[in-house]
């Protein structure tokens, strides 16, 4: 990066110059009192483009989606008080999924801090538990280095959102601008290389394995390690599963891919996770939605190798035998070097077992239904978009069906809120994805309940001409809540029915978009084809789907990974 | 559940303490005591946290502390030989009747009387937590007017040093 040195600049100018120096293309934000000077500076230049959302939650999700689909840092700009509290859900979403983001928030002037000033909130306090780091900049001379630090921290080690809170008076004060080329911090030095001895041990275990399994998560996507993963899995001939956050890291259409593991994972993936003798976990964290009950998981003896950039992810829920802390591509490069000339065990028997599990066809559903089945819509979506769309989702049944039925062959194509499970994520995230990939096909798979949580962003889509296709699986229920109530609460559908729904077609039209209502299975494919041919238009597709459809398989909360409820059980 | 004394070197920045305290409450870790003050290097503070938990939990605590951006170094003092000390100031009733006894008691525990009034003594007492507890127990509860304790500070024995 060029060292930018000029005469004195105001804090507001410095903010914009820093963003330019970082090569920021888009800032997602919403103006307000405390950030007026920054907005004034944005107005005077055209290198950093601003995207005006309709609610700050949308700004955070859009920046997040932009980052996930591009591997660049997502940046958002919000005002003090309600501006930043509105963004908190989006920040927490990014934090849980380790997304590199920089949030710049305005703050009341330094002399007013602590006096309950208008639109004052303790931003550093409110966001502390859901950011990788945050800071309040009280001195304009520390502004440039703080922003540099924010980008550095957000993108290195285990990525995450970093917030920089800037009081209004700091944006008007001046100092010499000197953007640091690099930053070094004695308290923060993430490792890259894995321990050579541990990598050697891992290689040995993999070569001795009779029932191996490769289990990878969001870390492989975030560190851009998909090429290494593919080479490793192909080289060894092992079965592979990707978590909800890791889909696309290994091609879903490949025979060695067993589908997603976990609560709504495939039978074959879950059985293989439980019965393998060597488990290679990469950038995954054995969370409760993946392995279910850890005590049940521990019943079967297996050797576990765990590669992760974050030491605290290792041995958190499951004890591992060979921990390797490091940057995944670096570690896999080393591992590949050791394995290229070796020969793994013959695992023909293991594959025979896996194919038997696979033959259960655990994702089957009623294909002769006269009501639209949500799974059918997703299968058709996959076909019509030739598997090449960027797919965002909200949270619930539609999310699980999308993960099960859309086969992602490439990383960064599946964008969803896995950790926090944020309804309302899908549409604003799709905006970021579309801006990061102009001309690409972007589908937002959602439900009638989720979509209404950030519906206002339809207006943003209009303003920036974002031709997103919204796949609304409308079953008039908070489907996943309804499913749990059916299974575990005696069919008492407490407050999960969505009454008084809007006419989504008219609503889309009201925002200046196109809306289509689809009620018959036969119409699904033609309407999808027609809609996706409209390259310049947002189309809201309102699919009226089976109200009582459930997601299978399902591991009930607290149960073991093999204690699945299957479609055929009911 | 074992007791651990964790020493943390942390950048002397606003908010570092709340970040650490917040980590403990957010993740449900125990804090028995926490002390913090600047070190000989004014840019850094040293914190001593006394906590308890299973080995797994304590491993997570040190890992999570290390993850905080402002944390420079973390060491679990209780993993090896170490010394711990705590300071207590205790104000006791010391009228004509109790004065002699109270003075003797302070002497036994190697406490120092640092403030005297007509009917009170303030005693300064240093030691590990158990010694301070023992002193409190040795007194008639009715004679204790006020106590204040610093919480435990700790340091490794011999050449074991925590610094950057």
């Amino acid at each position: 990066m060029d060292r930018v040195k000029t005469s004195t600049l105001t804090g507001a100018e410095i903010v914009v110059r820093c963003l330019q120096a970082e090569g920021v293309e888009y800032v997602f934000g919403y103006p307000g009192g405390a950030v007026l000077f920054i907005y004034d500076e944005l107005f005077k230049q055209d290198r950093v483009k601003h995207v005006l959302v309709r609610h700050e939650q949308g700004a955070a999700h859009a920046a997040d989606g932009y980052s996930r689909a591009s591997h660049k840092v997502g940046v958002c700009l919000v005002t003090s008080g309600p501006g930043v509290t509105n963004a908190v859900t989006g920040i927490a979403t990014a934090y849980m999924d380790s997304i590199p983001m920089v949030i710049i928030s305005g703050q009341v002037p330094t002399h007013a801090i602590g006096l309950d000033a208008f639109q004052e909130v303790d931003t550093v306090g409110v966001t502390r538990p859901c950011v990788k780091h945050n800071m309040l900049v009280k001195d304009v001379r520390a502004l440039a280095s703080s922003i540099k630090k924010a980008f550095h921290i957000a993108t290195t080690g285990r990525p995450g959102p970093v917030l920089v809170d800037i009081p209004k008076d700091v944006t008007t004060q001046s100092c010499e601008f000197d953007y640091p080329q690099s930053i070094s911090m004695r308290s923060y030095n993430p490792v890259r290389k894995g321990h050579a001895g541990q990598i050697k041990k891992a290689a040995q275990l993999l070569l001795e394995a009779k029932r191996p399994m490769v289990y990878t998560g969001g870390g492989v996507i975030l560190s851009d390690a998909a090429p290494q993963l593919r080479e490793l899995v192909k080289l060894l001939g092992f079965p592979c599963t990707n978590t909800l956050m890791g889909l696309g890291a290994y091609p879903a259409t490949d025979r060695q891919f067993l589908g997603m593991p976990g609560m709504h994972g495939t039978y074959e993936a879950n059985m293989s996770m439980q019965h393998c003798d060597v488990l290679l976990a990469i950038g995954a964290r054995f969370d409760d939605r993946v392995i279910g009950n850890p005590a049940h998981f521990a019943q079967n003896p297996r050797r576990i190798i765990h590669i992760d950039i974050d030491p605290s992810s290792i041995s958190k829920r499951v004890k591992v035998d060979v921990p390797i802390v490091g940057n995944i591509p670096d570690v896999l490069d080393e591992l590949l070097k050791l394995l290229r000339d070796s020969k793994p065990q013959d695992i023909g028997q293991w594959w025979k077992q896996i194919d038997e599990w696979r033959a259960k066809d655990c994702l089957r559903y009623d294909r002769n239904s006269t009501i639209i089945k949500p799974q059918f819509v997703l299968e058709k979506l996959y076909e019509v978009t030739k598997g090449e769309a960027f797919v965002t989702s909200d949270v619930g049944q539609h999310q699980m069906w999308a993960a099960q039925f859309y086969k992602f062959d490439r990383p960064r194509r599946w964008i969803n809120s896995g950790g926090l499970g944020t309804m309302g994520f899908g549409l604003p995230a799709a905006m970021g994805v579309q801006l990061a990939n102009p001309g690409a096909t972007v589908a937002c798979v959602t439900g009638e309940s989720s979509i209404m949580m950030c519906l206002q962003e339809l207006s943003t889509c209009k303003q920036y001409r974002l031709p997103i296709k919204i796949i609304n699986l409308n079953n008039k229920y908070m489907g996943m809540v309804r499913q749990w109530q059916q299974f575990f609460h005696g069919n008492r559908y407490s407050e999960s029915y969505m009454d008084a729904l809007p006419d989504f077609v008219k609503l889309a039209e009201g925002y200046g978009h196109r809306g289509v209502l689809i009620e018959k299975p036969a119409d699904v494919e033609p309407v999808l084809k027609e809609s996706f041919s409209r390259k310049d238009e947002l189309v809201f597709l309102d699919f009226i789907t089976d109200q009582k459809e459930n997601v299978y398989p399902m591991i009930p909360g607290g149960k073991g990974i093999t204690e699945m409820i299957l479609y055929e059980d009911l | 559940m074992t007791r651990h004394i964790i020493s943390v070197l942390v950048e002397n920045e606003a908010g570092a303490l709340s970040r650490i305290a917040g980590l403990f409450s957010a993740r449900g870790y125990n804090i028995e005591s926490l002390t913090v003050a600047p070190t000989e290097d004014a840019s850094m503070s040293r914190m001593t946290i006394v906590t308890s938990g299973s080995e797994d939990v304590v491993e997570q605590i040190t890992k999570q502390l290390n993850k905080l951006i402002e944390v420079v170094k973390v060491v679990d003092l209780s993993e090896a030989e170490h010394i711990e000390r705590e300071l207590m100031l205790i104000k006791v009733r010391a009228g004509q009747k109790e004065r002699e006894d109270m003075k003797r008691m302070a002497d036994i525990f190697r406490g120092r009387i640092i403030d005297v009034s007509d009917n009170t003594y303030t005693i300064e007492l240093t030691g590990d937590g158990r010694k301070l507890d023992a002193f409190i127990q040795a007194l008639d509860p009715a004679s204790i007017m006020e106590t204040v304790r610093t919480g435990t500070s700790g340091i490794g024995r011999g050449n074991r040093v925590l610094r950057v």
Side-chain angles (χ1 to χ4, degrees):
Chain A
M1 194 183 307
D2 301 328
R3 200 171 174 86
V4 206
K5 196 161 189 172
T6 56
S7 54
T8 57
L9 298 181
T10 65
E13 287 174 299
I14 289 172
V15 170
V16 175
R17 292 288 287 274
C18 290
L19 298 179
Q20 291 174 343
E22 286 292 338
V24 173
E25 191 183 9
Y26 288 107
V27 170
F28 301 87
Y30 202 106
V35 285
L36 278 175
F37 288 100
I38 299 174
Y39 270 86
D40 204 30
E41 291 308 320
L42 280 173
F43 186 82
K44 295 176 191 163
Q45 55 85 57
D46 54 11
R47 275 172 65 191
V48 178
K49 295 190 260 311
H50 183 271
V51 177
L52 176 67
V53 295
R54 299 304 187 259
H55 184 284
E56 289 88 350
Q57 183 184 349
H61 289 327
D64 178 329
Y66 174 86
S67 173
R68 292 186 203 227
S70 68
H71 194 193
K72 294 178 199 157
V73 184
V75 179
C76 54
L77 173 58
V78 295
T79 194
S80 65
V84 76
T85 55
N86 277 347
V88 165
T89 299
I91 298 170
T93 303
Y95 180 63
M96 283 293 269
D97 291 343
S98 306
I99 306 304
M101 247 165 66
V102 170
I103 304 99
I104 293 174
S105 57
Q107 181 55 278
V108 300
T110 44
H111 59 80
I113 289 177
L115 301 179
D116 302 317
F118 176 65
Q119 294 196 327
E120 180 184 2
V121 76
D122 171 12
T123 299
V124 165
V126 166
T127 58
R128 187 185 303 117
C130 58
V131 292
K132 184 173 174 188
H133 194 56
N134 61 16
M135 43 204 143
L136 169 66
V137 184
K138 283 181 164 172
D139 183 342
V140 71
R141 286 166 300 178
L143 188 53
S145 63
S146 297
I147 294 175
K148 179 76 202 176
K149 240 188 220 176
F151 277 89
H152 174 64
I153 294 169
T155 50
T156 50
R158 181 178 179 170
V162 180
L163 180 141
V164 185
D165 198 26
I166 310 173
K168 189 170 185 178
D169 55 333
V170 173
T171 65
T172 62
Q173 290 157 7
S174 317
C175 74
E176 192 170 272
F177 176 59
D178 184 8
Y179 198 64
Q181 268 180 309
S182 62
I183 210 126
S184 108
M185 298 166 69
R186 65 178 165 186
S187 65
Y188 176 73
N189 295 293
V191 289
R192 286 194 73 83
K193 294 270 169 230
H195 188 278
Q198 294 290 88
I199 296 175
K200 206 176 240 176
K201 256 194 230 165
Q204 208 144 22
L205 268 185
L206 290 172
L207 292 173
E208 287 164 8
K210 294 198 170 62
R211 298 187 311 279
M213 178 72 173
V214 181
Y215 146 62
T216 86
V220 173
I221 309 271
L222 289 166
S223 64
D224 288 328
Q228 285 91 339
L229 175 70
R230 283 156 201 233
E231 189 184 343
L232 181 80
V233 173
K234 277 287 153 202
L235 180 76
L236 295 167
F238 289 176
C240 180
T241 181
N242 296 156
T243 67
L244 182 69
M245 292 311 300
L247 292 172
Y250 191 82
T253 49
D254 188 84
R255 199 188 88 84
Q256 281 166 251
F257 186 66
L258 304 192
M260 177 175 79
M263 185 169 270
H264 296 294
T266 64
Y267 185 74
E268 52 270 31
N270 285 341
M271 292 301 279
S272 304
M273 288 284 285
Q274 183 71 329
H275 295 285
C276 62
D277 67 345
V278 173
L279 180 63
L280 173 61
I282 313 174
R285 55 189 180 91
F286 295 90
D287 83 290
D288 54 305
R289 286 299 191 264
V290 169
I291 60 149
N293 184 336
H296 180 278
F297 189 66
Q299 283 171 6
N300 288 44
R302 63 175 92 60
R303 310 291 287 279
I304 301 177
I305 304 158
H306 192 177
I307 307 171
D308 206 291
I309 189 87
D310 178 4
S312 76
S313 278
I314 291 174
S315 292
K316 182 167 69 178
R317 296 192 80 237
V318 168
K319 273 267 168 229
V320 308
D321 303 280
V322 184
I324 303 171
V325 176
N327 187 40
I328 296 167
D330 290 283
V331 175
L332 292 187
D333 282 340
E334 292 304 313
L335 194 56
L336 280 163
K337 267 188 222 160
L338 297 177
L339 291 171
R340 272 195 195 105
D341 303 318
S342 338
K343 217 179 130 41
Q345 304 282 313
D346 173 15
I347 58 163
Q349 275 302 317
W350 177 229
W351 270 115
K352 221 179 121 206
Q353 170 68 73
I354 290 171
D355 287 337
E356 272 172 37
W357 288 328
R358 200 179 244 165
K360 271 216 177 246
D361 190 14
C362 66
L363 298 182
R364 73 170 181 269
Y365 64 93
D366 177 13
R367 282 166 196 282
N368 303 317
S369 170
T370 51
I371 314 167
I372 298 175
K373 289 287 182 181
Q375 299 97 321
F376 178 70
V377 177
L378 288 157
E379 280 185 338
K380 289 298 159 195
L381 174 69
Y382 174 72
E383 286 171 26
V384 168
T385 57
K386 302 183 180 70
E388 284 168 359
F390 286 85
V391 180
T392 73
S393 91
D394 273 300
V395 170
Q397 286 185 320
H398 65 267
Q399 178 189 24
M400 293 301 117
W401 284 315
Q404 291 174 335
F405 287 89
Y406 201 102
K407 300 182 195 72
F408 294 94
D409 277 347
R410 276 185 277 177
R412 298 187 182 278
R413 294 281 159 145
W414 165 239
I415 279 119
N416 81 129
S417 166
L420 196 67
T422 307
M423 288 169 74
F425 175 79
L427 177 58
M431 304 189 314
V433 172
Q434 187 76 76
L435 285 164
N437 299 278
T441 302
V442 180
C444 165
V445 176
T446 183
E448 81 295 325
S449 308
S450 279
I451 191 68
M452 289 203 288
M453 285 213 183
C454 272
L455 194 62
Q456 73 286 345
E457 299 307 329
L458 281 174
S459 177
T460 313
C461 293
K462 185 68 188 171
Q463 183 174 345
Y464 298 92
R465 299 168 203 278
L466 304 174
I468 296 159
K469 304 297 177 283
I470 297 171
I471 312 296
N472 188 39
L473 300 177
N474 185 347
N475 58 3
K476 300 188 172 63
Y477 273 105
M478 291 160 215
M480 193 57 92
V481 174
R482 192 207 56 73
Q483 179 169 342
W484 280 62
Q485 289 172 333
Q486 180 192 337
F487 286 8
F488 313 117
H489 298 275
N491 297 301
R492 291 180 298 280
Y493 298 138
S494 177
E495 302 297 323
S496 56
Y497 180 68
M498 268 287 169
D499 211 345
L501 282 169
D503 176 335
F504 284 109
V505 171
K506 277 193 189 149
L507 188 133
E509 287 168 359
Y511 276 104
H513 302 299
R514 189 181 171 76
V516 190
L517 176 70
I518 307 100
E519 295 177 287
K520 288 199 236 61
D523 294 337
V524 171
E525 190 170 352
V527 171
L528 279 170
K529 276 190 176 150
E530 201 276 336
S531 301
F532 278 95
S533 72
R534 294 174 179 272
K535 300 288 181 203
D536 303 319
E537 239 181 317
L538 184 150
V539 187
F540 193 117
L541 296 106
D542 188 22
F543 292 94
I544 304 305
T545 61
D546 188 347
Q547 295 194 298
K548 294 292 165 75
E549 189 59 33
N550 288 324
V551 184
Y552 298 106
M554 178 178 191
I555 306 170
K559 290 284 186 182
I561 190 169
T562 57
E563 298 175 306
M564 288 170 271
I565 304 172
L566 298 175
Y567 172 72
E568 62 194 26
D569 294 339
L570 293 157
Chain B
M1 294 280 275
T2 44
R3 180 171 173 272
H4 287 257
I5 305 173
I6 296 169
S7 279
V8 186
L9 280 179
V10 55
E11 297 287 356
N12 198 359
E13 278 170 23
L17 173 62
S18 58
R19 231 178 271 283
I20 289 171
L23 169 70
F24 275 74
S25 66
R27 294 191 182 264
Y29 306 143
N30 295 316
I31 299 185
E32 206 174 280
S33 72
L34 186 157
T35 70
V36 57
T39 61
E40 77 281 6
D41 171 354
S43 70
M44 251 188 313
S45 289
R46 177 156 169 165
M47 223 173 254
T48 309
I49 304 167
V50 180
T51 182
S52 59
S54 63
E55 289 308 309
D56 292 352
V57 169
V58 175
E59 183 183 330
Q60 270 296 311
I61 291 176
T62 52
K63 284 175 170 176
Q64 293 291 348
L65 282 169
N66 266 313
K67 234 171 109 171
L68 295 177
I69 305 295
E70 286 146 343
V71 167
V72 184
K73 253 183 185 174
V74 180
V75 77
D76 183 352
L77 283 182
S78 28
E79 275 178 346
E81 288 295 306
H82 65 280
I83 301 161
E84 53 179 289
R85 286 292 181 271
E86 183 175 359
L87 170 71
M88 172 167 70
L89 302 179
I90 179 164
K91 191 173 288 182
V92 293
R93 278 181 221 291
Q96 282 309 324
K97 231 166 46 194
E98 306 102 337
R99 256 175 139 74
E100 262 314 295
D101 276 356
M102 201 51 87
K103 169 84 174 69
R104 201 174 317 119
M105 193 63 92
D107 287 342
I108 292 169
F109 280 84
R110 293 170 201 246
R112 292 199 306 141
I113 295 169
I114 54 170
D115 184 57
V116 178
S117 74
D118 287 352
N119 53 356
T120 68
Y121 278 158
T122 300
I123 304 167
E124 171 195 324
L125 194 65
T126 309
D128 66 17
R130 280 166 310 183
K131 174 180 162 184
L132 306 189
D133 292 343
F135 183 65
I136 289 173
Q137 251 143 45
L139 298 180
D140 171 8
S143 67
I144 301 174
M145 298 170 73
E146 189 180 353
T147 62
V148 53
R149 296 169 67 155
T150 59
T152 298
S153 279
I155 197 162
R157 275 192 189 274
N159 289 323
R160 209 169 156 234
V161 176
L162 171 62
R163 58 181 304 149
V164 182

